[in-house]
């Protein structure tokens, strides 16, 4: 075995005789990945963990939401997904090192550490001067206008994060004079007068649709994009062109849609099969372990499989 991945509470695998220290004696080349909620040692080692708990403890909820509103979770299981991503990176690094040393490694990741790791920017603010970062909604913390704004029929993200981009943005919206307005002439002034800036811009944006303003701003070289719902996202021509949705055939369900991995390596990465049914591959797996048909029948009779 090259890699073992587990995410039980700390005592489960050692009790089963499958802990890191036990298995490394059997296979010194083993890369053993431990994924947990709060870490495998320390005062909270025995606690269970979930994504939203880690978002709360790891600072993510503290900086998410509208100004003056309550702490809010991110709309996706970012700690669950992120911990898996960190684990893959750690496993690959351990496998690469093993080519040189011949020895395996223990790779540890937790939901809590993922949340804190993702907060490197806001954490730096607190570590440098003990200033608590605040909730800013969709607004960027250091640049304006770089945020969501309302249009006639929805919302638009505008990324005029830089003086040249801001001046192009102002001109594209028909108000080149904003570039010399003392309230908006510099990024520091725009940050200070953000409420007035938003009001001025949204008054203009309310006169046209999101699609219209994307066209106008793109033509002016200002980064921007619509704020989609899921139906709009999957209908977008760029999403379709990049083939983010793949299909795999299921005997009972027919063609089942899946989101492909965001990593493209040539044309070889595709969803080849749906999730297996319970026990679907028992015969193949047990055959590799030396069990014959009679052995499988006996295990089934005992309800062991």
């Amino acid at each position: 075995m090259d890699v073992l991945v587990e995410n039980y509470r700390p005592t489960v695998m050692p009790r089963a005789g499958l802990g890191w220290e036990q298995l490394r004696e059997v296979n010194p080349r083993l890369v053993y990945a431990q994924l947990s909620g709060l870490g495998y040692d320390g005062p909270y080692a025995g606690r269970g963990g979930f994504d939203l708990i880690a978002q709360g403890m790891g600072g993510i909820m503290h900086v998410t939401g509208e100004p003056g509103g309550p702490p809010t979770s991110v709309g996706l299981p970012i700690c669950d997904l992120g911990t898996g991503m960190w684990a893959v990176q750690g496993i690959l690094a351990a496998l690469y090192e093993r080519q040189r040393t011949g020895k395996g490694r223990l790779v540890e990741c937790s939901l809590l550490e993922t949340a804190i790791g993702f907060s490197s920017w806001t954490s730096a603010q607190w570590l440098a001067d003990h200033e608590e970062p605040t909730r800013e909604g969709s607004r960027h913390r250091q640049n304006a206008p770089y945020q969501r704004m309302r249009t006639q029929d929805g919302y638009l993200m505008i990324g005029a994060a830089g003086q040249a981009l801001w001046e192009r943005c102002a001109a594209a919206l028909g108000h080149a004079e904003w570039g010399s307005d003392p309230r908006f002439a510099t990024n520091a002034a725009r940050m200070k007068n953000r409420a007035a800036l938003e009001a001025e811009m949204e008054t203009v944006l309310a006169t046209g649709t999101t699609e219209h303003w994307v066209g106008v701003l793109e033509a002016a070289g200002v980064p921007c994009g619509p704020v989609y719902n899921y139906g709009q996202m999957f209908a977008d021509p760029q999403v379709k062109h990049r083939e983010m949705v793949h299909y795999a055939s299921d005997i009972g369900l027919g063609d089942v849609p899946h989101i492909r991995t965001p990593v493209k390596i040539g044309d070889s990465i595709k969803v080849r099969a749906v999730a297996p049914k319970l026990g679907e591959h028992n015969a193949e797996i047990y055959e590799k372990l030396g069990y014959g048909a009679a052995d499988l029948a006996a295990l089934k009779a005992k309800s062991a499989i």
Side-chain angles (χ1 to χ4, degrees):
M1 178 184 291
D2 284 316
V3 179
L4 184 147
V5 181
E6 63 95 355
N7 67 337
Y8 294 106
R9 295 198 188 204
T11 60
V12 173
M13 294 294 276
R15 282 205 318 267
L18 299 172
W20 159 245
E21 296 294 342
Q22 296 156 307
L23 292 186
R24 71 189 297 195
E25 295 296 325
V26 178
N27 180 8
R29 291 175 54 83
L30 178 65
V31 174
Y32 191 110
Q34 290 180 332
L35 280 62
S36 64
L38 305 176
Y40 269 73
D41 52 23
Y44 299 158
R47 292 188 185 181
F50 290 100
D51 177 271
L52 293 179
I53 294 171
Q55 287 196 39
M57 294 180 67
I60 292 176
M61 291 179 65
H62 178 70
V63 295
T64 305
E66 292 297 322
T72 305
S73 62
V74 176
L76 301 170
I78 189 171
C79 295
D80 282 345
L81 297 171
T83 300
M85 293 167 67
W86 291 128
V88 168
Q89 293 183 53
I91 289 166
L92 292 174
L95 288 171
Y96 186 78
E97 181 192 45
R98 192 180 69 179
Q99 291 182 321
R100 179 173 56 84
T101 66
K103 296 181 180 180
R105 280 279 194 174
L106 173 65
V107 177
E108 297 182 77
C109 299
S110 75
L111 302 179
L112 176 60
E113 288 160 294
T114 291
I116 297 171
F118 279 160
S119 74
S120 56
W121 192 2
T122 45
S123 289
Q125 179 180 346
W126 191 89
L127 291 170
D129 56 21
H130 285 200
E131 179 184 343
E132 284 289 351
T134 56
R135 290 182 279 284
E136 299 292 341
S138 70
R139 301 167 185 86
H140 194 270
R141 296 182 178 278
Q142 294 184 342
N143 294 283
Y146 182 7
Q147 63 195 83
R148 175 201 70 217
M149 290 196 174
R150 186 184 294 274
T151 67
Q152 189 179 81
D153 65 346
Y155 293 96
L156 172 71
M157 288 300 300
I158 296 178
Q163 193 62 24
L165 287 174
W166 160 240
E167 291 172 5
R168 287 184 213 160
C169 179
L173 296 180
H175 287 274
E177 74 278 5
W178 287 345
S180 57
D181 186 320
R183 298 173 300 166
F184 311 140
T186 66
N187 185 63
R190 292 191 295 278
M191 291 291 290
K192 182 179 179 180
N193 298 290
R194 181 174 256 169
L197 175 67
E198 293 173 10
E200 294 273 13
M201 292 182 67
E202 288 193 335
T203 297
V204 176
L205 293 169
T207 65
T209 64
T210 297
E211 182 179 11
H212 167 75
W213 289 117
V214 167
V216 169
L217 292 170
E218 275 293 322
V222 179
C224 64
V227 178
Y228 282 151
N229 60 33
Y230 275 72
Q232 293 168 326
M233 176 182 70
F234 287 117
D236 184 273
Q238 181 69 8
V239 176
K240 287 184 173 182
H241 175 80
R242 296 295 292 175
E243 297 182 321
M244 281 302 297
V245 180
H246 283 191
Y247 292 84
S249 180
D250 180 273
I251 294 175
L253 300 174
D255 288 338
V256 179
H258 295 76
I259 302 298
R260 71 160 173 81
T261 173
V263 179
K264 289 195 77 171
I265 305 175
D267 296 322
S268 62
I269 305 299
K270 296 185 181 297
V271 178
R272 294 181 295 275
V274 296
K277 305 294 188 294
L278 182 64
E280 180 179 346
H281 300 117
N282 276 355
E284 296 95 318
I285 294 170
Y286 280 101
E287 183 180 359
K288 292 179 180 179
L289 295 174
Y291 290 83
D295 299 313
L296 289 180
L299 289 170
K300 287 182 180 178
K302 296 177 181 179
S303 299
I305 60 173

